[in-house]
Amino acid sequence: MNGMNGATSALLAALIFLVALNLRPAIAAVGPVLTRIGGDMGWGESVLGVLGAMPLWAFAVVSPLVRFVTARIGADRTILVALLVLAAGDATRSFGGPVGVWLGTVAVGAGIAAGNVLVPVIAKRDYADHVPMATGVYSACITTGSAVAGLTAAPLAAAFGGWRPALAIWAVPPLVVALLWLSRVIRERTTSMTESSATESSATADHRPDEGSAGEPAIESVVHVPADDRPLWCRPMTWYVTLFMGLQSAAFYTMSNWLPSVVTAVGFSDSVAGVHLFVFQSLGILSGLLIPTLMRARGNQICAAMTASVPMVVAGLGWMLLPRLSLLWSVIGGMGQGAALVVALTLISLRGRTAAETVALSGMAQSLGYLLASIGPLAFGTLAELSGGWAVPLVLFTALASLQCVIAVFAGRERV
């Protein structure tokens, strides 16, 4: 991190992983209490599907705007604002009445969207020599937060008498991290002011108007590597990365919202359904840490992308054909979704040639990707209500997972 060194630098850099811990709980906690929300509000599966898709729509709208906010106030300050918006959204959703459910959900999505875009960018900047490792760690943090929220949501709702306090409790962690992150913002501002003063002093001392070319700024040596100079949206690789991001997100958010309902429909209790969801989400921690070892197999990311994608197809077929073995499919699907997230985020980091381009690619891939991902929970709930069961929506889920396998081949091929 520029301007920082020693233990302080390492600690402040590591705060990005605490931010990552807060990027899923506010959404993952909804799935286990979705039926409670529906019963309380009188909403059917279609409306609940809209509620599940709404954070993804917020991701789609906010993600491309993050780059403009970042250009104005900086990445670290944008993260601070995002954490505060996330906390406010959590509280509003729980205690703002029926309208507050929708407004709070939008705010939650907006806060997380900024984190989704900037966490990989900041991690790439602060851990430039260890991008796959850093991606694995912060992805593990994302998965950990999601798994803990999914496991504890139903017990918290039972203990505190409803879904509102069970969701509101997730306003506390982002506030705590925002307080810690503030020290990083202050340190960054102090460092920037010091460096600015030093640069001005150096420029004044070194300026020699009568020395001609000797007084001109030195031109840094640049190694020119052939690259695709077309705008991002004109590059096929941008669309492959975006599609991979969207499809793996569709799988994760669909199951995060609806897996408890699928499991209870075949006779399991709410508590057992919560365990299945926890397994699905928590095993992503292990696979997310292991998948970076395959990111350079054969000089590209095809092996890693396929390894992360195929398990979700297997899980989809399993939930559809042998739902009583749901725990097994949760294990297999969980290993796939955790690895797929790491692959998607690493592809964004690797395909961006500069920090600015990485921000732009991250914003585009996550904006359009999450718009695509919103089809998952929305269509799943609508098809369940129309068909009166879970077989038809699971067919769609498996079809999208199969398409992810195809896109994995194209997104994994590295082009110079």
Side-chain angles (χ1 to χ4, degrees):
M1 183 182 299
N2 295 336
M4 298 184 186
N5 49 61
T8 301
S9 173
L11 288 173
L12 292 178
L15 287 177
I16 195 64
F17 302 124
L18 293 183
V19 174
L21 279 171
N22 286 275
L23 295 183
R24 292 297 180 272
I27 298 176
V30 173
V33 297
L34 200 58
T35 55
R36 289 174 180 261
I37 296 175
D40 186 22
M41 297 293 183
W43 296 340
E45 284 87 352
S46 296
V47 177
L48 294 176
V50 173
L51 185 65
M54 185 159 285
L56 304 181
W57 291 337
F59 292 175
V61 173
V62 174
S63 294
L65 304 178
V66 173
R67 61 186 296 195
F68 300 107
V69 179
T70 301
R72 186 171 184 85
I73 67 175
D76 287 344
R77 292 183 184 180
T78 304
I79 287 288
L80 178 62
V81 172
L83 290 168
L84 296 175
V85 170
L86 173 57
D90 280 320
T92 302
R93 180 176 59 182
S94 294
F95 304 118
V99 175
V101 173
W102 300 104
L103 294 179
T105 299
V106 171
V108 163
I112 294 175
N116 286 339
V117 173
L118 291 178
V119 164
V121 175
I122 294 174
K124 180 178 180 180
R125 181 189 69 189
D126 293 355
Y127 296 92
D129 296 330
H130 307 282
V131 172
M133 178 278 295
T135 303
V137 173
Y138 74 68
S139 298
C141 291
I142 290 175
T143 306
T144 299
S146 177
V148 171
L151 180 65
T152 58
L156 286 174
F160 293 110
W163 61 270
R164 297 178 187 278
L167 297 184
I169 197 170
W170 294 107
V172 176
L175 286 177
V176 174
V177 176
L179 184 61
L180 296 173
W181 192 264
L182 184 61
S183 63
R184 175 169 168 144
V185 172
I186 294 172
R187 180 69 176 268
E188 179 193 39
R189 181 182 179 186
T190 303
T191 301
S192 298
M193 293 176 63
T194 302
E195 290 179 346
S196 178
S197 299
T199 301
E200 291 176 1
S201 300
S202 176
T204 302
D206 293 343
H207 182 59
R208 300 289 186 270
D210 58 341
E211 289 182 358
S213 60
E216 296 177 359
I219 299 177
E220 295 183 359
S221 174
V222 178
V223 178
H224 294 283
V225 178
D228 191 341
D229 292 324
R230 291 175 295 177
L232 278 176
W233 60 272
C234 291
R235 304 178 198 172
M237 182 54 68
T238 298
W239 295 103
Y240 298 145
V241 172
T242 298
L243 285 172
F244 189 85
M245 183 72 191
L247 290 168
Q248 67 85 25
S249 296
F252 174 78
Y253 286 105
T254 298
M255 283 300 109
S256 291
N257 277 280
W258 291 111
L259 180 57
S261 299
V262 172
V263 171
T264 54
V266 294
F268 292 101
S269 67
D270 288 343
S271 59
V272 172
V275 171
H276 287 204
L277 180 61
F278 174 75
V279 169
F280 174 75
Q281 294 175 332
S282 63
L283 283 181
I285 301 171
L286 176 61
S287 61
L289 292 173
L290 293 177
I291 199 66
T293 61
L294 296 178
M295 289 302 290
R296 289 295 181 182
R298 300 190 179 184
N300 57 49
Q301 289 79 47
I302 294 177
C303 181
M306 286 297 293
T307 300
S309 301
V310 171
M312 199 59 73
V313 178
V314 176
L317 290 171
W319 278 314
M320 183 168 52
L321 301 175
L322 296 169
R324 293 294 302 179
L325 297 179
S326 174
L327 184 58
L328 174 61
W329 313 131
S330 295
V331 170
I332 295 174
M335 293 294 287
Q337 62 85 12
L341 175 62
V342 174
V343 171
L345 296 177
T346 305
L347 286 174
I348 292 173
S349 296
L350 294 177
R351 299 301 183 257
R353 293 173 297 172
T354 64
E357 187 171 282
T358 303
V359 173
L361 177 59
S362 182
M364 180 175 176
Q366 298 198 50
S367 174
L368 298 180
Y370 284 124
L371 187 61
L372 170 62
S374 68
I375 295 174
L378 177 60
F380 204 90
T382 301
L383 289 174
E385 185 170 343
L386 292 175
S387 65
W390 300 105
V392 175
L394 282 169
V395 169
L396 174 65
F397 174 85
T398 306
L400 292 176
S402 300
L403 180 58
Q404 180 182 322
C405 293
V406 176
I407 297 300
V409 176
F410 294 96
R413 286 191 299 188
E414 207 161 352
R415 290 174 173 80
V416 178

